[in-house]
Amino acid sequence: MAALFVRSALCAQRQQAHLPVVARLLTSTTAARRATKTPKGSSAAPLAASATTNTARMHLPSFSNEELAEMVENRKVSVHKLETLLEDTQRAVDVRRMVTQRALAKDGNIKNADTAMDDLPHGEFDYRGFYDSIHGTNCEAVIGYMPVPVGVVGPLVVNGQTFRVPMATTEGALLASTNRGCRAITMSDGATSVILKNGMTRAPLVRVPSVAYAAEMKAWIESPENKQALTNAFNSTTRFGRLQDIDVRIAGRNVYVRFACHCGDAMGMNMVTKGTVEALALLNEHFPEAQMIALSGNVCSDKKAAAINWVEGRGRSVVCETILKKNVVENLLHTTVDDMIFVNQNKNLIGSAVAGSLGGFNAHAANIVAALFIATGNDPAQVIESSQCITVLEKEGEDLHMSVSMPSIEIGTVGGGTSLPAQAAALKMLGCQGANREATGANADTLAHVVASSVLAGEISLIAALATNDLLKAHIDLNRKTSSPAEQAQEAVASNTSSAAATGHPSATTTRGMHTSSVVGHAITFGHPSTGGPLNARAASSSAEQAIYYAPGTRLSTFAASGPALPHSVSSSAASADEYGSDGPMLPVP
Ligand SMILES: CC(C)(COP(=O)([O-])OP(=O)([O-])OC[C@H]1O[C@@H](n2cnc3c(N)ncnc32)[C@H](O)[C@@H]1OP(=O)([O-])[O-])[C@@H](O)C(=O)NCCC(=O)NCCSC(=O)C[C@@](C)(O)CC(=O)[O-]
Ligand SMILES: NC(=O)C1=CN([C@@H]2O[C@H](COP(=O)(O)OP(=O)(O)OC[C@H]3O[C@@H](n4cnc5c(N)ncnc54)[C@H](OP(=O)(O)O)[C@@H]3O)[C@@H](O)[C@H]2O)C=CC1
């Protein structure tokens, strides 16, 4: 891809400085192409090896951040490759922030787009202010802080709104994958998300003298008049919480009273617990022999896998759908509608059934939920129920209808960690920080839609990657460090320059299935269609692509025979320390 930036010596001297940057870039690229053009059938050496290359090569670092941002916006430079091309990770972050901030302003979705990201640390960090803000609220016995990288995916179009979604993770490949899914959704006219139910729950354990007493208590609570009295007591403790339902379960002499509350923009665990105490006081007046054993009796059920959340819902119950166009599935995801349905059915539905899964009928909803919870200051321990999800794929004509149903997304935009400056910045990027003053709960609703649609994006990309057998390759590429950005840049220059000699286009080398293929024109074909970018050129490039594509059901022997594309050899002894500093003895072979 670096061949795109091959510039003539004339250009390098900036004699064209008066031209807009993109025009300069195109002119210089054309000049470079002309300089390297060889007659058909000529055996001239590839560009990388020629003398012309060395003088003509021009690296991106010579451009200003403003110019680089413009190139990214004009799809002349891939925003994903900035670290490698600039050989400077901090600058890459700066340019990406500039691009993201300008995109937020252009989307027109949020107020104060130019300052939304200001408090998301990316360099200097006000640790004193941070310690002040967490004291007495978020953590005790503090000894420091844990930096977790935050990336951004999108544009993601949901319910007609465009989002740039911040995600905090240390799992390489997760953002690349979710981003691909966002692109697939947005290229297919967006996603639609609906909230079916909203009720954060707390179920105290009340102990009574007999099962008859328990039944009497249940009947009393369920009478409309008493239910209203309990509701009034509950609601008296909060300006924003509104009790929705009371569900009573009995096990012998144990009574579990499950209060479900609409908590406005808060996730609401403190809020609902406070309301519960007041309602129990009233209950106790009528049932003096009842004893409160535990304020949480686990029927809530908080921070544990439980069927009650899966069936009844907890927090917001959300369903989100999209119809992926056939050409998007084929050209962007490199697979087919039928293959994705086949993988989903046999993995997410049957596989999860065989595993006895509880709300885990999905590929990796938890990945996206966790990254979004950490970025937005939501409680990561609630990922367990918030990521319960069933992913359904069905044919819609020749296209693919895809949905995620998530009955228990527990999130808030006020309370807990959401008001810390960095986390609040992530919420500002989504246009839903803090309390919604026009419609209480609308900000948390927005966040729930973002969570569900981002999960949908993650499902799309991972199911496709499994269908094309790309999972391991993606993780070896993006989850393990093999070389420094500078070394990667040199590799990129070498591989792209030689390819450019033959084609006049930059290229990217990629592996699909168990083979490696060279994708021509990759670097100038990225870019979102919503901003006028074309489809990934890979499908168009590709008779070779056909040869390396494995449909689900490919015989295992075919993989083996096709030769390894991944590093797979291990030495019998660990002679020197690896990148993890591990040079200890290997485990004995059983
Ligand atoms: C890695 C890809 C996306 C490559 O996929 P690709 O099709 O080769 O990518 P591409 O280079 O052709 O780019 C296509 C688009 O992908 C995105 N993309 C591509 N690269 C980047 C990047 N660096 N940064 C940001 N976005 C990126 C981006 O949207 C890009 O479009 P563009 O913007 O260029 O026009 C694909 O192979 C993939 O999605 N693999 C799956 C990886 C994955 O989903 N990992 C999740 C974790 S797996 C796990 O933890 C759970 C598991 C698996 O155990 C659960 C289970 O049991 O199933
Ligand atoms: N207590 C427990 O058992 C558990 C607690 N947690 C922790 O609880 C915290 C979250 O509790 P949560 O109750 O959400 O947060 P908070 O305890 O911070 O309470 C939310 C506060 O925001 C106020 N508020 C202002 N505007 C709004 C609005 N628009 N909508 C809703 N509330 C508004 C509420 O007012 P008002 O007082 O009038 O309601 C309330 O004081 C997290 O730190 C989480 O980790 C997690 C699990 C269990």
Side-chain angles (χ1 to χ4, degrees), residues 383-454:
V383 169
I384 191 161
E385 56 265 32
S386 297
S387 58
Q388 288 185 328
C389 169
I390 183 164
T391 301
V392 179
L393 271 65
E394 290 166 337
K395 230 169 173 168
E396 176 91 2
E398 57 177 19
D399 298 330
L400 176 63
H401 183 278
M402 210 166 150
S403 65
V404 290
S405 300
M406 304 181 66
S408 42
I409 301 181
E410 300 162 6
I411 37 90
T413 60
V414 301
T418 62
S419 55
L420 293 173
Q423 288 83 341
L427 288 166
K428 282 182 196 162
M429 284 177 70
L430 295 168
C432 60
Q433 188 261 331
N436 189 307
R437 292 178 195 285
E438 279 94 49
T440 295
N443 280 355
D445 286 350
T446 298
L447 186 57
H449 292 309
V450 168
V451 169
S453 52
S454 303

Side-chain angles (χ1 to χ4, degrees), residues 503-563:
T503 63
H505 285 279
S507 73
T509 300
T510 188
T511 304
R512 181 141 319 290
M514 302 297 271
H515 292 256
T516 300
S517 79
S518 193
V519 181
V520 175
H522 176 74
I524 55 168
T525 57
F526 71 85
H528 203 275
S530 67
T531 55
L535 271 174
N536 190 308
R538 190 174 282 152
S541 72
S542 225
S543 53
E545 197 70 15
Q546 298 304 319
I548 52 123
Y549 172 67
Y550 288 109
T554 304
R555 295 167 72 88
L556 288 178
S557 58
T558 313
F559 289 138
S562 61

Side-chain angles (χ1 to χ4, degrees), residues 336-352:
T336 65
V337 168
D338 287 336
D339 285 353
M340 284 186 68
I341 291 173
F342 189 74
V343 168
N344 189 66
Q345 177 184 323
N346 292 287
K347 170 195 165 63
N348 287 343
L349 306 184
I350 299 177
S352 294

